[in-house]
Amino acid sequence: MNRLICGAMLALGAISAGSYAAGVEKPAKPEHYRYLMPLEAPGKGGLVALRLPPAVYLQARGRELEDVRLFDAQGRPLRFALHYPEMQNVKEQVEKAARIFPLYGESKDTNASKMALDIDTDEGQVRSVRLKSQSGTAQGLHALFLDLGLGQEEKPLFEELRLQAPPGSSNYSVRVWLAVSDDLQQWETIASADLRWLQNSDGQTLQQDRLRFAARSFRYARLSFEENGKTAAKPFSTAIFYGAQTHALPGGRDSVSLQAQAGALADTDLMYQVSRALPVYSMRLEFSEPQVVLPLTIGTYRDIPAVSGGAPKRVFHGDWQHTFYRMQQGDAVRVSGDVRPGGEDRQDLWVFRANAPLSSKPVLRIEWAPAQMLFLHDGNGPYQLAFGRADDHSAASPLHQVAPDFQLSELEKLPQVKAGEARLNPAAQVAQSEVERAGKLAQRNTWLLWGVLCAGVLLLGGMVWRLLGQMRRQDAKQDGGAA
């Protein structure tokens, strides 16, 4: 019995040691990575910087570049830090088309800042607006309420409003008053103007369609107007505000253009494959057609696990909406602005869904701010940048451990490393096979370990049962002898 126990323990120890040896992660080597990129460091030594090339972001497997490694000429891993660029304030032009809510009714106040309104909102979005004096019967158009649809963080300074005349108004003149508000409670009249749309017998037109005012920020606007001394009968077709906004933008950005693929769930979908490592700052659709306006819902596909014995399914999840366009207006070409999803919103698939099947496949242009890789050039070059491995943890060190006592102004002036072309690593497939074999061996040993443990439990149970039987027989003999 003792020999059986010793044999089981020895087998258990041997399999445990084998499983541990197979599961221990070996030091990273260049052949473990799918892509290698040669680096040429300037000078004879010192701290240097590499602006990570687009290929790294497009082919890396880790969301935060966990699989990026740096090796010297002997294949030894080097310490490095990732430094992200400082944000810079940049002034950008803003063009915002307002949602128009006609206000029907009668009011003694022609001044837009004195009108009493009933406004229905839902989570900050205006759903309906009407004059408090409005009765149940139809009445004339008295004013227009304009919702700019700005987000909580958007605070552009507007300085101009352009209005388009009502349909069928070839000769039209009107006087308008503009009032603005941020909270729908306090209103201030900031501008008035006489607007005209005139056309002669030769088809020539003269337009005076803009209100200009001192630059200011607001979220809502209201127009009251008179047509030849009477309340206007028809609303304007469009109302577009123009201004500027200051954004904190990364100093240097890279970009990539992605071709569209047919949607997996609907023929109204456009799919764009991209690396999850790409910290998307902004994106926009670029059209080849001269005239196109395309409202789209932007999101991704998500897999829903099976519930109550049902099958798993894939669904489209929309995050926000945006209208993309390209149009030739007179001698000028107008294009839609960028969409900024935010660096935290990482996807490996972006989906743009339309309301109807699409006849074209626009190119998606993505911009991001690349990180700077800082490391000590110790003369053991040439160096290699390796990436493209799914099961790695980050090797980046804190900045103070790589560039101690360096000021930010000094980091911006570091010598720049020159990167070569990324190439597929022929040894990566062999290394991956070895990793897979080691994983299979570890899994097999794990099952063997559990088998030995179960056998050991059964063996110990048998021993206990046997000992209990012996104890019962001895007790019975003792009781018989006493009698």
Side-chain angles (χ1 to χ4, degrees):
M1 181 62 65
N2 292 336
R3 292 192 184 95
L4 288 175
I5 297 175
C6 292
M9 294 302 177
L10 289 173
L12 179 63
I15 293 177
S16 300
S19 299
Y20 176 80
V24 170
E25 182 179 358
K26 298 179 180 179
K29 296 181 180 180
E31 57 265 25
H32 294 161
Y33 298 86
R34 183 173 177 79
Y35 293 93
L36 295 176
M37 180 179 291
L39 305 180
E40 182 180 341
K44 297 181 179 180
L47 194 65
V48 294
L50 167 69
R51 175 172 168 155
L52 290 181
V56 176
Y57 285 97
L58 296 177
Q59 302 299 339
R61 303 290 297 276
R63 185 181 185 275
E64 301 294 339
L65 303 178
E66 291 91 345
D67 57 328
V68 173
R69 296 292 187 274
L70 181 65
F71 299 97
D72 64 10
Q74 285 74 42
R76 295 173 297 196
L78 297 180
R79 185 188 300 271
F80 66 89
L82 295 178
H83 174 60
Y84 292 88
E86 294 296 308
M87 305 298 282
Q88 301 175 357
N89 289 330
V90 177
K91 190 175 183 179
E92 293 184 330
Q93 297 301 311
V94 176
E95 176 182 324
K96 201 74 175 179
R99 294 175 62 203
I100 300 177
F101 295 86
L103 301 176
Y104 294 95
E106 296 180 357
S107 175
K108 296 180 180 180
D109 296 316
T110 59
N111 192 320
S113 62
K114 297 181 180 180
M115 294 180 188
L117 301 178
D118 279 331
I119 301 175
D120 182 19
T121 62
D122 181 18
E123 296 183 355
Q125 298 296 317
V126 177
R127 296 196 302 181
S128 65
V129 186
R130 71 170 196 166
L131 288 170
K132 287 187 176 180
S133 60
Q134 180 178 345
S135 64
T137 60
Q139 302 181 56
L141 177 68
H142 186 78
L144 299 176
F145 180 89
L146 307 178
D147 177 16
L148 277 71
L150 297 174
Q152 293 295 326
E153 302 301 324
E154 293 183 88
K155 292 186 178 180
L157 296 176
F158 295 107
E159 56 186 2
E160 185 177 68
L161 168 62
R162 181 173 66 85
L163 297 166
Q164 184 175 344
S169 303
S170 58
N171 287 281
Y172 183 68
S173 61
V174 64
R175 182 170 183 81
V176 299
W177 289 267
L178 174 66
V180 298
S181 174
D182 279 324
D183 57 7
L184 300 176
Q185 302 297 322
Q186 302 295 322
W187 292 85
E188 179 184 355
T189 300
I190 62 171
S192 64
D194 292 308
L195 306 180
R196 298 178 179 87
W197 292 264
L198 305 176
Q199 185 175 356
N200 61 20
S201 58
D202 297 329
Q204 296 175 330
T205 60
L206 175 64
Q207 296 184 22
Q208 184 177 339
D209 58 355
R210 297 174 184 259
L211 284 82
R212 293 179 174 84
F213 44 88
R216 62 178 298 159
S217 175
F218 51 89
R219 306 179 69 82
Y220 310 98
R222 198 164 59 188
L223 279 174
S224 61
F225 44 88
E226 290 186 353
E227 179 184 3
N228 300 326
K230 299 180 180 180
T231 300
K234 295 176 288 187
F236 295 109
S237 300
T238 60
I240 302 178
F241 288 90
Y242 298 90
Q245 184 170 8
T246 300
H247 292 283
L249 305 180
R253 282 172 282 172
D254 284 338
S255 64
V256 63
S257 295
L258 304 174
Q259 299 297 323
Q261 303 175 29
L265 298 182
D267 57 2
T268 58
D269 291 352
L270 294 172
M271 298 192 314
Y272 299 89
Q273 295 282 353
V274 67
S275 169
R276 190 180 291 270
L278 205 62
V280 177
Y281 171 74
S282 66
M283 54 187 180
R284 65 178 178 270
L285 290 180
E286 298 179 342
F287 300 92
S288 58
E289 297 89 340
Q291 306 284 1
V292 58
V293 177
L294 189 59
L296 294 170
T297 301
I298 307 170
T300 189
Y301 292 146
R302 292 186 179 177
D303 295 320
I304 307 299
V307 179
S308 301
K313 61 181 180 179
R314 203 174 203 195
V315 299
F316 171 73
H317 179 83
D319 293 314
W320 71 92
Q321 296 180 334
H322 189 75
T323 299
F324 296 91
Y325 60 87
R326 184 182 190 274
M327 61 181 72
Q328 183 81 30
Q329 191 73 20
D331 296 331
V333 177
R334 305 169 68 90
V335 295
S336 52
D338 295 346
V339 176
R340 296 189 175 91
E344 295 302 319
D345 193 0
R346 305 285 184 88
Q347 304 290 348
D348 52 13
L349 177 70
W350 288 100
V351 180
F352 292 70
R353 172 164 289 186
N355 295 326
L358 301 168
S359 58
S360 64
K361 293 183 178 179
V363 171
L364 178 63
R365 188 168 185 82
I366 289 178
E367 288 190 346
W368 73 94
Q372 296 270 355
M373 173 181 278
L374 309 182
F375 66 95
L376 183 63
H377 172 23
D378 57 4
N380 290 321
Y383 304 102
Q384 287 191 106
L385 192 65
F387 49 95
R389 182 180 174 184
D391 57 349
D392 262 331
H393 60 276
S394 178
S397 299
L399 183 62
H400 69 272
Q401 293 183 2
V402 177
D405 298 329
F406 274 75
Q407 303 298 319
L408 291 179
S409 58
E410 295 179 285
L411 298 180
E412 294 175 357
K413 300 176 183 178
L414 290 176
Q416 291 294 309
V417 174
K418 182 179 179 180
E421 293 293 329
R423 66 180 188 275
L424 281 171
N425 185 4
Q429 189 65 37
V430 176
Q432 184 63 28
S433 299
E434 293 178 353
V435 171
E436 292 176 356
R437 284 197 299 270
K440 292 179 180 178
L441 177 61
Q443 185 178 20
R444 186 190 66 183
N445 286 346
T446 299
W447 284 110
L448 288 174
L449 173 61
W450 278 108
V452 171
L453 287 174
C454 291
V457 170
L458 292 174
L459 179 61
L460 291 174
M463 292 177 58
V464 171
W465 181 259
R466 183 177 178 181
L467 289 174
L468 288 174
Q470 291 177 351
M471 293 175 63
R472 284 196 296 269
R473 288 193 296 271
Q474 290 179 358
D475 291 341
K477 289 181 180 179
Q478 291 176 357
D479 292 341

